[in-house]
Amino acid sequence: PSRFGGRLASVMDIAAIAGNSDHLRASFSIGILTSRIHLDGPIDKKHKTTFSFSGRVCYAGLFTSPISKVQYKKSGYDGDVGYYFGDINAKLAHQFNPDDGVELNYFSNNDFYRFLKKSATQTANLQVASTYLERVNWANYVASLLWKHLFNEKWDMRNSVSFSQYIINSLLSDHYEENSNYYYKRYYDSKTTSYIRDLSYKNDTKFTGGNMQTVRLG
């Protein structure tokens, strides 16, 4: 449908839970590679304001780093390979009255990857030192503010302002030094940053005339 804004194929329409308004609750899990936590519940005494928070982290690098170090040493090098990621999903909701409510949403995920390789050779007539590094960090950030208004049983309206950003930072470093009958040095460093930012406002008004009729405006 046109309300999803020009996508060519399928769309996943996902809504974060607002958090229960009865009591505070929490759950968590700890694993070998990943761990997660979830909290939600009311904030004020009247239970009109609720929150929901979820976080997850992957620490695969704690395993890939020492394993890769051992493999490097068998080949005569120093270095490691590491990878980590984490994400946060949060929502704050307030219901002013049965007809009006606002929601503040936030989501972010971050990934970190590093590949490091070092070597050093020294003889009576030759000294060689080499360091090669690749590092990539990429992330998504999404925030939105939503106002929901109910005119009557048939008419309702949603207004939202949202901001999203995808960003990737990469570093490639190649350092080489050789000292024998002559001295040779090569340093190469490349840093790049790319991002996509979107700022949008959206209105969605819906009329429900019954089981056979629904009209959307926006």
Side-chain angles (χ1 to χ4, degrees), residues 1 3-4 7 9-16 202:
R3 68 180 183 272
F4 290 114
R7 269 59 175 183
S10 59
V11 173
M12 297 183 65
D13 189 6
I14 301 173
K202 182 179 179 180

Side-chain angles (χ1 to χ4, degrees), residues 203-216:
N203 170 273
D204 185 15
T205 303
K206 183 174 68 173
F207 170 77
T208 305
N211 295 331
M212 301 294 292
Q213 184 185 50
T214 299
V215 179
R216 286 182 177 269

